[in-house]
Amino acid sequence: MHSIRAQVWTRGLAAAALRNSRAVTRTVAAAKFVRFTSTEAVIPKSMQPRPEELSQGVTKTVLGDLDASTPPANIRPELWTMYVATLRRLVPESTWPPKRRVLHWMLLNAETREELDLTLTLTEQWRMHMLPITQATTHLWSQACARLKYPEPFMRMLLDRWKYRQLPVAQTLAMYMRFLGTMGAESEASEELLDDVFKVFALYEYYDIPHNAQAYGALVEACCEINTEEAWRRALVASEETLAEDTPMITLEALNALERRSVERNESEMAVRYRDLAKRLDLKPASKKEVQFDDDSTISSPGFD
């Protein structure tokens, strides 16, 4: 009975967070844009726009007339050129199809929030024209937002499945919950980011992905990372939900996080309990290998077991 009540609580809280969410509009303090020794993004030869596409200066695109030679602030010329050229290829009269890997290239090369916002605008147009999105595209989006410590774009896309039609897999969602936890530990918006963690947990069912040990483990790890009283309360209830089952869905990393926080809170009995549970369940550390993709951009290697 305890397990059922706890399960209803955790999933109910996640569902409530999802229902109450709107398009993400809050602002987390943006990191100052720092230029590195070299900021040039090299466009592969196979993806370079044709000279005649951009030779006329201002060019017609699906978002109006744009000048490829005048990038906005904090957006490098190479990304702006790729953006304008791709939008130009989306107009009905264009005879050239957009390059298939353009979103991947922009996500891998984005160095500022402005460049990521630019890629989000391109993604919106990409989907409006029914161009394909793959599991790899979605995973690269999550990595780019984590790398730039900018959670809003990926949350916005995940919460609007109809508009963006992303294809997250369990590994991507678990990774993003951990990132949100790390971000919450460093941010004054910790409670909002904690709610975002539970929204992502609720999105498993929204995207028809079953909750597994990695889902519960990432949820608990994120709560422990944020380390507020509310986050600790949620970590305890979420972990007890699955630990009450005959076959708990939990990870060694989550139990280690619970043990660590218990020690910090001078709750020695709880720390011993989590340490003993990890031994009794014979849990193994998660693999650290990178996520890999097949030729069709579906995930072939999950990045952890």
Side-chain angles (χ1 to χ4, degrees):
M1 182 64 69
H2 167 78
S3 174
I4 294 175
R5 287 199 301 269
Q7 186 175 23
V8 169
W9 183 90
T10 299
R11 299 195 180 189
L13 181 62
L18 191 56
R19 286 196 303 270
N20 292 336
S21 66
R22 296 292 186 267
V24 183
T25 56
R26 69 172 186 276
T27 301
V28 178
K32 184 178 180 180
F33 176 47
V34 178
R35 288 196 174 274
F36 300 96
T37 304
S38 174
T39 61
E40 182 180 0
V42 179
I43 302 176
K45 185 175 181 180
S46 62
M47 296 178 64
Q48 291 176 3
R50 297 168 183 256
E52 58 267 34
E53 288 187 77
L54 305 175
S55 61
Q56 299 176 353
V58 175
T59 186
K60 180 181 178 181
T61 77
V62 291
L63 292 180
D65 292 340
L66 296 174
D67 188 347
S69 65
T70 57
N74 284 351
I75 295 176
R76 286 166 295 159
E78 299 82 14
L79 275 81
W80 179 247
T81 296
M82 182 66 80
Y83 171 79
V84 173
T86 303
L87 291 179
R88 184 186 188 281
R89 291 183 174 214
L90 293 179
V91 297
E93 57 268 31
S94 174
T95 57
W96 299 315
K99 299 293 185 178
R100 292 181 56 193
R101 300 287 181 176
V102 62
L103 292 179
H104 291 195
W105 181 84
M106 292 189 69
L107 290 168
L108 289 168
N109 284 279
E111 289 184 353
T112 67
R113 293 187 173 199
E114 290 84 356
E115 290 179 348
L116 214 50
D117 287 337
L118 191 76
T119 310
L120 179 61
T121 301
L122 183 57
T123 299
E124 292 172 355
Q125 292 300 317
W126 192 270
R127 295 309 294 137
M128 286 178 64
H129 289 78
M130 302 302 292
L131 294 169
I133 292 287
T134 66
Q135 292 178 355
T137 313
T138 301
H139 192 74
L140 290 175
W141 255 114
S142 69
Q143 288 185 319
C145 288
R147 185 179 71 250
L148 296 179
K149 297 185 178 181
Y150 189 21
E152 288 84 356
F154 194 58
M155 288 299 301
R156 186 191 303 273
M157 288 191 295
L158 288 179
L159 291 169
D160 195 340
R161 186 177 184 180
W162 181 87
K163 182 175 183 179
Y164 295 101
R165 300 183 185 273
Q166 293 296 300
L167 295 173
V169 295
Q171 296 88 341
T172 301
L173 296 180
M175 183 279 288
Y176 211 68
M177 280 193 284
R178 293 189 185 93
F179 156 65
L180 291 170
T182 302
M183 186 84 177
E186 304 169 353
S187 170
E188 295 180 358
S190 58
E191 294 304 317
E192 296 176 47
L193 289 164
L194 177 62
D195 284 342
D196 282 351
V197 171
F198 278 79
K199 289 174 190 175
V200 175
F201 186 78
L203 286 170
Y204 277 74
E205 294 184 354
Y206 184 51
Y207 285 97
D208 301 316
I209 302 171
H211 286 117
N212 57 12
Q214 295 298 333
Y216 277 95
L219 180 68
V220 171
E221 284 184 70
C223 291
C224 290
E225 193 70 31
I226 293 174
N227 197 29
T228 61
E229 284 301 315
E230 175 61 15
W232 179 242
R233 182 180 73 86
R234 295 191 192 188
L236 293 178
V237 177
S239 59
E240 290 304 320
E241 168 186 318
T242 187
L243 290 174
E245 300 291 343
D246 292 336
T247 305
M249 291 189 291
I250 198 73
T251 61
L252 176 62
E253 290 74 20
L255 290 176
N256 288 342
L258 289 166
E259 179 190 349
R260 183 176 67 254
R261 289 303 183 205
S262 296
V263 170
E264 293 173 358
R265 296 170 63 89
N266 295 318
E267 298 175 0
S268 57
E269 291 185 3
M270 293 181 66
V272 170
R273 174 174 179 258
Y274 293 127
R275 189 182 312 123
D276 291 345
L277 275 170
K279 293 179 180 178
R280 179 168 61 83
L281 295 173
D282 194 26
L283 299 173
K284 306 300 182 186
S287 171
K288 301 299 183 181
K289 59 187 177 183
E290 293 292 328
V291 172
Q292 297 179 354
F293 300 94
D294 291 328
D295 291 339
D296 62 355
S297 294
T298 57
I299 290 182
S300 60
S301 177
F304 48 73
D305 300 323

